Amino acid sequence: MSAIGRPISLGLVALVVLTVAGAAGATVLYQDSAQQLRSQNDALRSETAQLTDRLDRTRTELRTVRQRLNETRAQLNTRTEDVDQVAGTLNRTERQLNTTEAQLSRTRTRLANAEQNVTRLERDVSDLEDRRDELEAQVSDLRERRDELESTVSDLRSRVDTLETDLSDTEDRIDELEVALAERDDRVDALESNVTDLRDDLDRKNRTIADLEDDVERLDIVLRNRNATVRTLEARLDDRNATIRDLESDLDELCSDSANQDEAACEGYG
C-alpha cells in the first residue's frame, strides 16, 4: 500500500499543482481579459460619443445640403427653362450653321474652280508671254527682212531702169526683126506652095504604095497557099518515102531467104 500510495500522492500533488496553476492562470487571464474588455468598452463609448457628435453634425450638414439642394433644384428648373430657350436658339443656330456650311462648301468649290481657272489663266499668260517673245523675235526678223527687201527693191529699181533701157533697145531690134519676119513670111508662103505640090506628089505616091501593098497582100495569100500545097506535097512525099522504106525492108527480108535470092527482083538485095 505504501508503494502504491506514493506514486498516487505524487500524481495528485502534480494534478493539484497543475489545477492551482491553471486556476491562477485562468484568473489572471480573466482579469486581463476583463481589463481589456473594460478598455475596449471605454474606447467604444468614446468612439460612440464621437460618432454621435459626427452624426449630429452630419445631420445638420445634411439638412443644410438638402436646403441647398432645394435651392439648386429651383435654380435648375429656372436654368432648365433657360436651357430650353438656349437649345431652341442653338437648334436655329445649328440650322443656320448647316446652311452656312453648305454655302461655305459651295464657296469652297467655286474657290477651287476659281483657283483652277487662275492656274489655267496663269499657264495661258505664260504661254502668251512665250508667244509674245516669239512674235517679238519674228518682228525683229521681219524688220531685218524688211531692210533687206528695201535694199533689194532699191537694187531692183536700178535694175528696172537698166531693163527699160534694154527694152527700148529691144523694141528697136523687134522692129528690125518684124521687117525680117515679113520677108521670111513671103519665103514661107513660097515654101508652103512648094509643100502643097510636094503633098500632092506624096499623096500620089501613097496611093501607089497602097496599090503595091494590096498586090503584096495578094502575093502573100498566093505564097501562103503555095506553101500549104508544098507542105501537103512534102507530107505525101514523106509518106511515100516511108512506104518505100517499108517495102525495101520487106524486100531485104524476102531476099535474105536463100530460096528467093535467084529471083530477078532480089538483084542487088539480100
Side-chain angles (χ1 to χ4, degrees):
M1 291 294 294
S2 60
I4 295 171
R6 191 180 299 116
I8 292 173
S9 297
L10 292 173
L12 289 173
V13 171
L15 181 59
V16 171
V17 171
L18 290 173
T19 301
V20 172
T27 301
V28 173
L29 180 61
Y30 175 75
Q31 289 177 353
D32 291 336
S33 298
Q35 185 65 33
Q36 291 177 358
L37 289 173
R38 290 192 190 96
S39 299
Q40 291 177 0
N41 192 13
D42 292 336
L44 289 173
R45 285 177 181 175
S46 177
E47 186 176 358
T48 300
Q50 292 176 359
L51 290 174
T52 300
D53 293 336
R54 290 179 62 185
L55 180 60
D56 292 336
R57 289 195 299 272
T58 302
R59 285 175 180 174
T60 302
E61 291 176 357
L62 181 60
R63 285 193 296 271
T64 303
V65 169
R66 283 178 179 175
Q67 184 177 359
R68 290 179 180 176
L69 181 60
N70 291 328
E71 293 175 356
T72 303
R73 284 177 179 174
Q75 293 177 358
L76 182 60
N77 291 328
T78 304
R79 295 290 178 85
T80 301
E81 294 176 356
D82 295 337
V83 167
D84 292 335
Q85 294 177 357
V86 171
T89 304
L90 183 61
N91 290 328
R92 290 192 298 273
T93 303
E94 186 175 2
R95 288 193 295 272
Q96 293 176 357
L97 180 61
N98 292 329
T99 303
T100 304
E101 287 180 351
Q103 294 176 354
L104 181 60
S105 178
R106 290 193 295 270
T107 302
R108 286 176 179 172
T109 302
R110 292 176 182 174
L111 181 60
N113 294 329
E115 289 178 351
Q116 292 178 357
N117 292 329
V118 168
T119 303
R120 185 172 61 255
L121 290 174
E122 288 178 350
R123 288 197 300 269
D124 293 339
V125 167
S126 178
D127 295 337
L128 290 173
E129 289 178 350
D130 295 336
R131 181 60 178 167
R132 182 195 62 191
D133 295 335
E134 293 176 358
L135 291 174
E136 288 179 352
Q138 291 178 0
V139 167
S140 178
D141 294 336
L142 290 173
R143 286 175 179 172
E144 293 177 357
R145 182 62 178 168
R146 182 195 62 188
D147 296 335
E148 293 176 358
L149 290 174
E150 288 178 352
S151 177
T152 304
V153 167
S154 178
D155 295 336
L156 289 174
R157 285 176 179 172
S158 299
R159 181 64 177 168
V160 166
D161 294 335
T162 304
L163 290 174
E164 286 178 351
T165 303
D166 294 338
L167 180 61
S168 178
D169 296 336
T170 303
E171 288 176 350
D172 295 335
R173 180 63 178 165
I174 288 172
D175 293 335
E176 295 175 358
L177 291 174
E178 285 178 351
V179 174
L181 182 61
E183 294 175 355
R184 289 184 181 181
D185 288 337
D186 295 336
R187 294 178 62 187
V188 167
D189 293 335
L191 291 173
E192 286 179 350
S193 177
N194 292 330
V195 167
T196 301
D197 296 336
L198 291 173
R199 284 179 179 174
D200 294 336
D201 189 15
L202 181 61
D203 290 336
R204 287 192 298 273
K205 290 182 179 180
N206 286 331
R207 286 193 296 272
T208 302
I209 290 170
D211 295 336
L212 292 173
E213 287 178 350
D214 292 336
D215 293 338
V216 169
E217 288 179 358
R218 286 193 298 273
L219 292 174
D220 285 337
I221 293 170
V222 172
L223 181 60
R224 285 196 295 272
N225 292 330
R226 289 183 179 180
N227 287 331
T229 302
V230 169
R231 286 193 295 273
T232 302
L233 293 173
E234 287 178 349
R236 292 174 64 185
L237 180 61
D238 291 336
D239 292 337
R240 289 183 180 181
N241 289 329
T243 302
I244 291 169
R245 285 193 297 272
D246 293 336
L247 292 173
E248 288 178 349
S249 177
D250 293 339
L251 184 60
D252 287 336
E253 290 179 359
L254 291 173
C255 292
S256 63
D257 188 0
S258 59
N260 296 323
Q261 289 180 355
D262 294 334
E263 297 291 334
C266 291
E267 292 180 0
Y269 294 96

